[in-house]
Amino acid sequence: MSILAWTWIIVGISFALYIGIAIWARAKSTGEFYVAAKQVHPIANGMATGADWMSAASFISMAGLISFLGRDGAMYLMGWTGGYVLLAMLLAPYLRKYGKYTVPMFVGERYYSQSARVVAVICAIFVSFTYVAGQMRGVGVVFSRFLEVDINTGVLIGMAIVFFYAVLGGMKGITYTQVAQYCVLIFAYLIPAIFISIMLTNNPIPQLGYGSSLSEAGAKLLNTDAGYLLDKLNGIQKDLGFPEYTGRGSKSMIDVFMITFALMVGTAGLPHIIIRFFTTPTIKGARASAGWALLFIAILYTTAPAVASFARINMIQTINEKTYTEAPSWFKNWEKTGLAAWKDKNGDGKIQYAPGNAFAGKIAFEKDSLGAMKTGQHGEKVVSTKQTPIEKSKNEIYIDNDIIVLANPEIAKLPAWVVALVAAGGLAAALSTAAGLLLVISSSISHDLIKNVISKNISEKKELMWARIAAGFAVVVAGYFGIHPPGFVAQVVAFAFGLAASSFFPIIIMGIFWKKTTKEGAITGMLTGMGFTTAYIIYFKFMHPELNIDKNWLWGISPEGIGTIGMLINFAVTYVVSKMTKEPPAEVQEMVESLRYPKSV
């Protein structure tokens, strides 16, 4: 059967499973809608947290970044992994002991202020919308290739699916759906990696395979001689003018550090992950689920570098110096989606892959009067004349960062069912995280804003109704950002982490560990940290993208890493203002003290 047929079968079965679980576990009360009535087993919660955590950025984009950036790309791997450990050890147990539904609830009560709650609601919604834009973009990328529809159509399909089980099931439905999604995504990630590791090195463990020697069959497949896979990849990179794959890349050390740190502390401030620890029956269960989640997450994260290196060496060897007629089918298939392109700059009829961008800006193709893509003299899709090639760059091809994992099985010529399984895994990763984020937006509006600020006497039934309306509205807005994304998946998600780092992390940490943090300090800290980070990202990414290069950045720090500076500003402002204002009431200080000790103490 064809890839398209297998995709319809596997994706159709997985979607039917998700919808069936949502119907079976639909929420009937606000407790079930917000925190699954606090009855989720730690192992199930660990799997659900893993699925919630491993978004489209982890599944689709992270290995692509490592593949293109080499060692520098590991900053995403280190930042997200280290961040989860920080969250599990420093924050989750204390917030679970606090025992409320949402982060804005903690902020509102810890800082004894409705104004602080409202600011936290705004921050939560802002961070979540930024994050969910990356997920919807990931859904569109998957659908555009494997169901052969337009990216925008793919986003609309994803919106419909998420709307159904997020609005109907709430946290209860989402939790058990995410357990199923974790199983789908982890099998989808591991199976191609295992196959390719065996093909290239005869080692069935990808984590060991990419550090092994090429087998005789593997060397033949890559048209090279025997030797360590990474040594061969380093040599190929140097021959093409790239830095060594395992060596230091083009990013400055300070920017790598700042991005890694922003991702790490941003993790600890992400409301859709924090809320997962409120779904277990006990505090002990919250700790256990954190440990299980770390195990489930590690399976994928330790495999990502192997996937990246396999895809990189396969991609280069199958396409560089080939004529368009000799080009592999994977390139031509992705070319139809607008996520890959070639322009013969030197007129030799061969595809040249080299450092630098082949084109300036977003790729667009010329179309005829019937809407079909025009083809050039070699059969390639014609890039629009509005899309200016960068002539000084010898690079002739454009390959979107987000397609590497999805294209990896096709590049390695694996069976069609494996390719379709990867599509189902990418969708599971994107949709699981999107659902968790939409629930945060929903609960922030219905519970923190309407129930606790606007209409305190609202009935549970009406609150549940508003929660579903808010979730529906959030789906529509998320879809818009998926159709008009501000960057590729991992980049958009990095912005969300920076915003979370600069807004939530300092006030949660200080709220737990410094009892004299005041409401005035928390409010001004959130506003200044978030305001600075947002302004910096908007300035370089939207207002003046032509200036978005390292020589123009503050201390050489990119928009993806500026959240670290925003976090430091938040800490400093919160501390100074807290010192200048009246101490919190005695009962608030006692509550903070009790958070850090068992009840018996």
Side-chain angles (χ1 to χ4, degrees), residues 416-496:
W417 68 267
V418 178
V419 179
L421 182 62
V422 171
L427 290 170
L431 295 175
S432 61
T433 303
L437 291 163
L438 292 171
L439 189 69
V440 167
I441 296 168
S442 169
S443 59
S444 294
I445 293 173
S446 63
H447 191 75
D448 293 307
L449 201 57
I450 295 175
K451 171 72 174 176
N452 287 284
V453 177
I454 298 173
S455 181
K456 295 185 177 182
N457 296 321
I458 192 173
S459 67
E460 182 174 306
K461 185 177 180 180
K462 284 191 175 181
E463 184 185 349
L464 190 58
M465 178 192 73
W466 276 109
R468 287 180 166 139
I469 291 172
F473 170 75
V475 169
V476 174
V477 177
Y480 174 82
F481 285 116
I483 293 171
H484 304 283
F488 56 84
V489 174
Q491 188 180 47
V492 176
V493 169
F495 296 154

Side-chain angles (χ1 to χ4, degrees), residues 79-299:
W80 285 331
T81 308
Y84 182 79
V85 175
L86 180 67
L87 170 64
M89 298 298 104
L90 266 185
L91 300 181
Y94 305 114
L95 290 173
R96 177 61 184 83
K97 185 179 179 184
Y98 177 69
K100 299 296 182 182
Y101 289 152
T102 65
V103 174
M105 284 183 70
F106 170 79
V107 172
E109 294 194 25
R110 162 60 184 87
Y111 293 109
Y112 50 98
S113 167
Q114 289 290 60
S115 298
R117 184 195 294 269
V118 171
V119 172
V121 167
I122 294 169
C123 291
I125 292 173
F126 196 66
V127 169
S128 298
F129 270 132
T130 306
Y131 200 164
V132 82
Q135 311 316 307
M136 302 313 293
R137 154 80 177 178
V139 171
V141 169
V142 175
F143 275 127
S144 68
R145 165 64 189 95
F146 296 107
L147 295 185
E148 297 182 6
V149 298
D150 182 78
I151 287 183
N152 296 348
T153 304
V155 171
L156 294 174
I157 296 171
M159 286 168 60
I161 297 295
V162 173
F163 179 84
F164 184 84
Y165 69 76
V167 172
L168 178 68
M171 179 59 84
K172 184 179 179 184
I174 286 171
T175 296
Y176 293 107
T177 301
Q178 285 173 336
V179 171
Q181 286 168 330
Y182 175 81
C183 296
V184 172
L185 74 87
I186 203 66
F187 278 110
Y189 206 82
L190 289 177
I191 288 175
I194 292 169
F195 277 6
I196 298 171
S197 185
I198 293 172
M199 288 168 62
L200 296 181
T201 68
N202 275 340
N203 192 322
I205 304 173
Q207 292 90 333
L208 301 178
Y210 87 110
S212 302
S213 297
L214 291 169
S215 64
E216 186 176 333
K220 188 175 180 181
L221 277 173
L222 296 174
N223 194 27
T224 185
D225 51 355
Y228 282 104
L229 183 145
L230 290 177
D231 283 343
K232 294 298 173 186
L233 184 51
N234 281 336
I236 291 169
Q237 292 258 122
K238 287 179 69 177
D239 290 344
L240 293 177
F242 291 94
E244 285 194 347
Y245 186 78
T246 58
R248 187 172 171 183
S250 58
K251 276 192 170 292
S252 66
M253 190 61 69
I254 187 171
D255 196 30
V256 170
F257 174 81
M258 288 296 183
I259 293 174
T260 304
F261 201 81
L263 294 173
M264 187 178 294
V265 297
T267 299
L270 285 176
H272 78 291
I273 297 297
I274 291 172
I275 200 172
R276 288 238 57 95
F277 295 99
F278 292 103
T279 63
T280 56
T282 63
I283 299 171
K284 182 180 178 181
R287 290 181 183 273
S289 66
W292 281 108
L294 189 57
L295 171 64
F296 295 135
I297 291 167
I299 295 172

